[in-house]
Amino acid sequence: MEEKFEVWDAHVHFFSFNFFKTLIKMKGEEKTLNEEFAFLKERYGIETPPVSPVQLARRWIDEMEKYGISKLVLFASIPEDTVSVSTAVTAFPDKFFGFFTLNPLSENIDLSIKHAVENMGMKGVVLFPALYHVHVYDELLERIYLLAEEYNLIVFTHFGILKIPIREMIGVKDQIDGTYGNPTDLHRIAVRHPSVNFIIPHFGAGYFRELLMLGAQCKNVYVDTSSSNSWIKILPYKIDLKTVFAKTIDIFGVDRIIFGTDSGVFPRGYRIDILNQQLEILNEIGLSSDEIQKILSGNLKRLLGF
Ligand SMILES: [Zn+2]
């Protein structure tokens, strides 16, 4: 691993002060904000983020410098927190890109999207079908894809096992409904909107076969490699991450695989272990430097219009 690659991480959660505050409020208990943060610290070791998103952004830049990461895609992980990510992106436009989470069932999604793109500089929209209980092929979402076409927005959509540990730690009672989690849900949408690029994280998070089937048929579907990919353990057969990569490369090719870590909380910070592990796998598989570079940044650059 002597070689130096340029790394753009497509999957980092910007867990801002406002993010925590909003979820804590949503939970609606009597404890004060300070007590809630003290609990998170004591129980889970989670650091209270600085109130200022710019300060939190600086924290991420320190991590990037420490590990030689060039750019991060920052996710606003709830619709109410687009503003924090937007602040970070505006302060450091050469470091970050912003993606915002949309609840497709909320009112005026057209306006939300237009505002997020035109005024807040967002480059992608994040969908969590299993969290918001709506299929990605629901006609309600058609407007999202039309606007994605118009604005060249990347559509990031989470399928498979959905676990959001941070929300569990905060104590938000989500009803995650796996009914909405099958990647093949995306088939007709991806076919209908060939100019929209879709990214599915964590190799489909359990729906590996379905992800491969979709990827074989839809050239505008991409996969992100992020997280520890522990979904591998629940499959009814033995498979390791190296085999997952090899099979994905077979079907998607090296041009549709995008590196990410799913980093989010401090003090853990940047999940360099995931980069190291995946780099080792890519080398073991025998990819050329050019091919590895595509996965680590080239493909994301292209989707972002660089
Ligand atoms: Zn994530």
Side-chain angles (χ1 to χ4, degrees), residues 199-219 221-226 229 231-232 235 237 239-259 278 281-282 285 287 295 299:
I199 302 179
I200 299 178
H202 328 310
F203 300 97
Y207 282 107
F208 188 45
R209 182 184 69 154
E210 289 75 4
L211 174 92
L212 296 172
M213 285 160 59
L214 182 69
Q217 297 176 94
C218 302
K219 300 301 175 204
V221 172
Y222 292 71
V223 56
D224 104 13
T225 67
S226 70
N229 287 297
W231 55 267
I232 285 175
L235 292 187
Y237 46 88
I239 190 169
D240 59 13
L241 191 58
K242 183 178 169 186
T243 315
V244 167
F245 263 97
K247 191 70 205 171
T248 307
I249 291 165
D250 270 355
I251 304 299
F252 281 75
V254 292
D255 292 310
R256 290 194 288 144
I257 303 175
I258 293 177
F259 169 74
Q278 297 193 358
I281 288 173
L282 295 172
I285 289 175
L287 294 192
I295 293 172
N299 297 332

Side-chain angles (χ1 to χ4, degrees), residues 20 31 61 122 141 164 179 220 227 234 243 296:
F20 283 96
K31 278 193 270 179
I61 292 171
M122 295 294 114
L141 278 72
I164 315 182
T179 314
N220 51 336
S227 91
I234 64 140
T243 315
L296 294 183

